[in-house]
Amino acid sequence: MSAKHHPTPLSGGDRKALKKELGKARAKTTILSEQSAEVRAKGEALIRQADRLLSESWNERMWADGEPTDPSPTVDQAINGGYPWLEIACSRRRTERDVDLAALPHPPTTFVHDLASRLRCSKCAKAGRRPPATLLQLSQRPRHPSSET
């Protein structure tokens, strides 16, 4: 976008007034863009905090109820809230594993509780069985040494 053209006034006083007003407008633009960046950063921090609280709340409901509860955070909310790992257990063998939510080939708007029917134990799959996984909780870091879905 090209700069706006302001016709130069003929009188010296009007030229000085125009120069002063243009300087004020440029200064105001700088102030407003800085305020916009600050508010945007605060908003992103608040969204991150809300996503963290949602993930913690879902973990507490999972612990209290013992089963996946609806509503759960979406995959991108869990990752944004600092909970990028999902702890699961094979419903047949009871072995626990960690799943990296960012590495899943599912859309980020998928709810975490919807992943229970999609995640499978790889050892059972090799044996020809496909029992669904049991969701345990979201975590901030992996707790089990090997990670498989």
Side-chain angles (χ1 to χ4, degrees):
M1 189 168 150
S2 62
K4 186 173 181 181
H5 175 70
H6 296 283
T8 306
L10 297 176
S11 69
D14 289 342
R15 283 193 303 268
K16 288 179 186 175
L18 177 64
K19 186 176 179 180
K20 183 178 178 181
E21 290 300 317
L22 289 174
K24 285 182 183 178
R26 289 186 184 109
K28 186 71 169 177
T29 301
T30 304
I31 291 170
L32 291 175
S33 65
E34 289 172 358
Q35 287 177 348
S36 172
E38 289 173 13
V39 170
R40 186 172 309 279
K42 287 179 186 176
E44 289 171 356
L46 286 173
I47 290 171
R48 213 170 13 261
Q49 181 181 6
D51 290 343
R52 181 182 55 81
L53 291 173
L54 181 62
S55 297
E56 289 175 3
S57 168
W58 189 75
N59 278 346
E60 290 299 319
R61 280 187 280 137
M62 285 288 293
W63 182 81
D65 298 341
E67 60 186 38
T69 55
D70 183 19
S72 65
T74 62
V75 171
D76 60 345
Q77 287 174 330
I79 292 170
N80 189 38
Y83 288 86
W85 293 92
L86 177 63
E87 293 182 28
I88 63 170
C90 174
S91 59
R92 181 176 164 269
R93 297 174 54 237
R94 303 288 183 227
T95 57
E96 295 183 0
R97 302 277 185 239
D98 294 312
V99 177
D100 184 5
L101 293 175
L104 289 178
H106 301 291
T109 55
T110 302
F111 289 101
V112 172
H113 73 272
D114 288 339
L115 295 175
S117 62
R118 300 177 189 173
L119 298 174
R120 305 278 188 233
C121 174
S122 63
K123 290 184 180 180
C124 289
K126 288 177 186 174
R129 297 182 178 90
R130 303 282 291 170
T134 302
L135 302 183
L136 300 177
Q137 69 176 3
L138 292 167
S139 63
Q140 295 177 338
R141 57 188 138 323
R143 296 189 178 165
H144 303 93
S146 66
S147 186
E148 60 184 272
T149 55

